[in-house]
Every structure is written in structure tokens, then in C-alpha cells.
Amino acid sequence: MRLNDYCSPEEWSKIQAFAQDKETPFLVVDLEIIRQKYQELITCFPIAKVHYAMKANPGAEVVNVLRDLGSSFDCASIFELDRVLDAGVAPERISYGNTIKKAAHIKYAFERGIRLYATDSKADLQNIAENAPGSKIFVRILVEGGETAEWPLSRKFGCHPDMAIDLLVQAKLLGLVPYGISFHVGSQQKDIAVWDAALSKVKYMFDWMKLEEDIKLQMINMGGGFPANYISEVNPIQIYAEEIMRYLHDDYGDDLPEIILEPGRSLVGESGVLVSEVVLISRKSRTDLNRWVYLDVGLFQGLIETLGESIKYPIYTPKMDSNPENGTVVLAGPTCDSTDIMYENSNYQLPQNLAVGDKIYWMTTGAYTNSYSSVEFNGFPPLKTYYLE
Ligand SMILES: *Cc1c(COP(=O)(O)O)cnc(C)c1O
């Protein structure tokens, strides 16, 4: 890999200088990149409201940066909610986007001022009506996209559009505000056309609701799914925005509904570099062609999205610069669990002269790493995270 494809020289010296004398493993997050990504996104989608999906990195530092930039937030639990409210974000800037929630948690969110809720089932809608009376509801629909997303979010969430219509009608009867429709096309979605397919379903529902129920829906929540820069090539966000805006104008002309985006990965992914070290290099037999490279970081310290070799992070070690001979490696973590193997079939290459103690840098690891890190599997502590201004 070419380091410059993932990190500018200035950025790299900043991270190097910081990382030098720290014990690995740890994640360094550069908040400046998050600022740039946010600005870029709102420049691409000037009509949209950004609700940061904070599970990607719930760090208070990240929340504060996005708060100051005027971002809104999507929370999936009352714990995320507390984090955002404690940071001083007004409840009007927060949605409760998880369709799976306890009645008691809905009540708590309502008491703390939250008035915008996602749902995709009758039981949850009933709970919202009882515990968050008068609130705005958006219904999440099932959409395609699982095959072209590197980390699919389909199946578990969303309902068929016909059922979504029933729920919106029901919402009104229960004294709630049937406000809009949401979908998520899958995380790290490489096929922009899936937004088109999803938006046609939404358009059909907007029309049906107006015509048959005399209910004017007001909002489309297009979820996340925008990509970060990993090994496989993706279109830039500008292309996503151009295409998606074209779909929207085709459907609604200039009378666009309110648009919400819920980016996680694309906002924070590129802000992080995970620094690790080689613990051991071995072969499994005298004639084994592949080296096994064991690191001090693995699936339980933040690299869980390598499960099934789904997310392919770019990795870098300084020995790559001198153009050494490379060889295929299996990359594995330090724990006593045999699932703790990051890459076995993805043909990762590292220099033949790689040695124990060498540093391995995992690029684009700002999203879904520290939040997923386990508490103390085999006694290993959760992934340490440092934030650079
Ligand atoms: C995880 C999640 C997101 C963020 O998705 P990314 O692909 O990381 O941008 C947005 N909305 C909802 C409801 C989510 O669950």
C-alpha cells in the first residue's frame, strides 16, 4: 500500500511524533479530520441535517467537536443519550434511532426532552405512544443493499413498506406525529444505486400516504452507509451526493422534504490510526509458505470488523518504504480465541524482513474500533484512545 493514499505527510508526522514513546496498542484519533469530514459532508448535502450515528465512536471528544460544528445526533440507547445531553446538546438536536428499546428507556428519553423516534413494529410504536406522547415518528423500512455493503445492516431492522404505512397510520391514531421514513442501505455501501431503489420505495409511500390517508409525510432519513477509505476502491462522497440529490430532485422536484443523514463510518473512519506491534512471527510447518504474524491487537481490541474479512484495513509498517521483498501473511491477534484472526484469505503482504517488535499501523480505524473493543478478554484492556486536536 501507499501510505500517502491514506494519510497526508503532515498528518503522518503528527501521528508519528505522538505515537513514538507510547506503549502499543492504541488508537490515535485526529479530531481535525472529523471537522474536515463534517464540513465536506454538509457542503455536499447543504439541504440535509446530519445526525451523527455515535456508535462509530462515542468518545466525548468526538461528541464535543461535532456539537460545536452544529451537528445533530442519533442515539441508540439512553446511555448514548446521556453522553450527548451531558455535552450540552439540546434535545431538539437528538433522535432516538434504535427501533429496539425498552418502554422504560423511551420514558426516560421523553423526560429528557427527546421528541423524535424511530420504529418498525407495532409493539414499539405502542410503547412510544404510551411513554412519549405526541412525539414525531419515523418508520424504518427494509431495503436492498446487503450484497454490496461491506458491513450489511439489513434483515434485523426495518419492515416492509406496506407495514410501514400501517404503522404511520396507526401512529396518528395513537396521537403521535407520523413524520417520515428512514432506511439504511448497509454500512460501507459501494453501490450508489441502492439509494435510488430505497428512495423509490419512499416516494411510493409519500404518495400513498397523501392520497389514501391525507397524511403529508415531512422527512426522509437516509441513514448512513457512506464509505471510508479502506483497501477496496470507493467513489468519493461528492459522487454519492450528486447521484442521491439527482434521485431526490427526480422524485420531488424542488419541493424536497426534510432530509436527515446519519453518518458514522464516513465521518470518523479516516480520523483514526491504530498503532500495534508484532509479538511473534511463526510458520505452522517446515514448508509453510505463509508466515503467521501475531500482533498485540486483534478482534477483541477493536478489529472486530475484520470478522469474515469484511472490512479490509490498509496496514503499513516503516520497512515497506525500502521496497523489501514481500510475502503473504496471516494476521492474528493476541488472545486465546481461534476467531481472533484478522486476515487469512485476503492476501495481505508484509516485508520478508519483518521482525518482532516492528510497529504495524492500521489506517482508517477511526470508526467501529474503540466502541467495539472488549472489556477484559484474556485480561487485555479495552483499546486505549488518544485524541489529537
Ligand atoms: C450504524 C447506523 C448508522 C451509521 O452507519 P454508517 O454506515 O456507519 O454511516 C446510521 N443509522 C443507523 C440507524 C445505524 O444503526
Side-chain angles (χ1 to χ4, degrees):
M1 71 155 244
R2 295 213 329 268
L3 185 60
N4 281 351
D5 293 344
Y6 299 99
C7 194
S8 70
E10 306 81 63
E11 179 63 21
W12 184 244
S13 22
K14 194 168 162 186
I15 286 166
Q16 280 270 287
F18 180 83
Q20 216 157 39
D21 50 358
K22 305 249 174 344
E23 199 192 341
T24 60
F26 56 88
L27 176 69
V28 190
V29 172
D30 188 343
L31 297 169
E32 189 51 33
I33 306 267
I34 299 178
R35 287 190 193 96
Q36 288 167 14
K37 284 282 162 186
Y38 181 84
Q39 296 297 356
E40 182 183 63
L41 187 68
I42 58 170
T43 308
C44 285
F45 287 101
I47 55 139
K49 245 167 75 183
V50 174
H51 285 227
Y52 172 51
M54 52 185 296
K55 69 179 186 288
N57 181 341
E61 291 83 350
V62 177
V63 169
N64 291 345
V65 159
L66 289 170
R67 172 202 63 201
D68 293 346
L69 289 168
S71 181
S72 295
F73 294 83
D74 183 59
C75 295
S77 69
I78 56 169
F79 313 104
E80 285 186 346
L81 180 62
D82 281 342
R83 169 71 55 86
V84 181
L85 288 169
D86 290 351
V89 176
E92 299 77 48
R93 283 164 67 185
I94 304 171
S95 48
Y96 199 146
N98 195 342
T99 56
I100 304 158
K101 44 200 176 296
K102 295 179 178 178
H105 290 188
I106 298 169
K107 185 162 185 280
Y108 178 82
F110 184 73
E111 282 165 5
R112 297 214 65 181
I114 307 306
R115 297 291 181 268
L116 181 58
Y117 295 83
T119 195
D120 63 1
S121 69
K122 247 187 169 148
D124 182 57
L125 185 69
Q126 191 69 43
N127 280 340
I128 299 171
E130 281 164 22
N131 294 286
S135 293
K136 292 175 180 168
I137 296 297
F138 58 98
V139 176
R140 181 158 169 183
I141 57 167
L142 277 167
V143 294
E144 307 300 317
E147 290 78 40
T148 43
E150 290 189 353
W151 196 260
L153 289 169
S154 42
R155 294 208 314 114
K156 181 171 172 183
F157 305 102
C159 61
H160 188 280
D162 291 343
M163 184 174 157
I165 286 174
D166 292 345
L167 289 172
L168 287 162
V169 172
Q170 188 71 21
K172 190 174 176 189
L173 296 174
L174 289 168
L176 297 161
V177 181
Y179 193 62
I181 297 164
S182 75
F183 58 81
H184 195 302
V185 294
S187 199
Q188 188 72 7
Q189 177 56 261
K190 296 204 283 202
D191 182 7
I192 306 178
V194 298
W195 271 274
D196 192 13
L199 284 169
S200 339
K201 288 186 181 174
V202 171
K203 172 65 175 157
Y204 157 80
M205 295 173 66
F206 264 63
D207 289 347
W208 177 280
M209 289 295 290
K210 185 81 204 77
L211 221 65
E212 303 292 324
E213 305 293 341
D214 198 26
I215 292 174
K216 188 169 163 31
L217 295 176
Q218 298 174 60
M219 182 273 277
I220 306 174
N221 179 333
M222 296 198 286
F226 305 107
N229 190 19
Y230 300 114
I231 281 190
S232 51
E233 209 179 338
V234 288
N235 277 301
I237 187 73
Q238 287 80 3
I239 303 286
Y240 280 73
E242 270 171 36
E243 291 294 306
I244 291 169
M245 288 312 299
R246 190 165 57 78
Y247 304 146
L248 281 170
H249 284 296
D250 283 351
D251 284 344
Y252 302 91
D254 288 334
D255 190 20
L256 292 182
E258 181 189 333
I259 302 292
I260 288 180
L261 301 176
E262 293 178 340
R265 189 183 302 282
S266 63
L267 266 192
V268 299
E270 288 160 34
S271 72
V273 176
L274 198 165
V275 187
S276 67
E277 194 180 282
V278 177
V279 176
L280 193 67
I281 304 174
S282 71
R283 292 178 199 265
K284 296 291 177 191
S285 73
R286 286 186 191 157
T287 52
D288 196 352
L289 292 170
N290 296 340
R291 287 164 297 163
W292 281 70
V293 175
Y294 299 95
L295 303 179
D296 57 2
V297 73
L299 272 73
F300 303 98
Q301 290 81 41
L303 296 176
I304 193 75
E305 287 199 318
T306 61
L307 205 64
E309 311 197 20
S310 300
I311 296 293
K312 293 190 180 67
Y313 296 105
I315 61 173
Y316 170 77
T317 187
K319 277 182 183 161
M320 285 175 173
D321 294 340
S322 51
N323 262 327
E325 202 186 322
N326 279 324
T328 306
V329 293
V330 177
L331 280 162
T335 68
C336 304
D337 189 314
S338 58
T339 60
D340 194 10
I341 299 173
M342 285 79 87
Y343 303 117
E344 194 169 4
N345 305 311
S346 301
N347 196 28
Y348 269 72
Q349 305 262 326
L350 283 171
Q352 292 289 8
N353 63 350
L354 187 77
V356 168
D358 283 356
K359 282 211 167 79
I360 305 275
Y361 296 86
W362 295 72
M363 314 305 290
T364 318
T365 41
Y368 302 115
T369 49
N370 62 349
S371 54
Y372 265 137
S373 178
S374 78
V375 176
E376 62 164 14
F377 184 51
N378 275 164
F380 290 104
L383 183 64
K384 249 184 302 187
T385 306
Y386 300 104
Y387 294 92
L388 308 183
E389 264 309 313

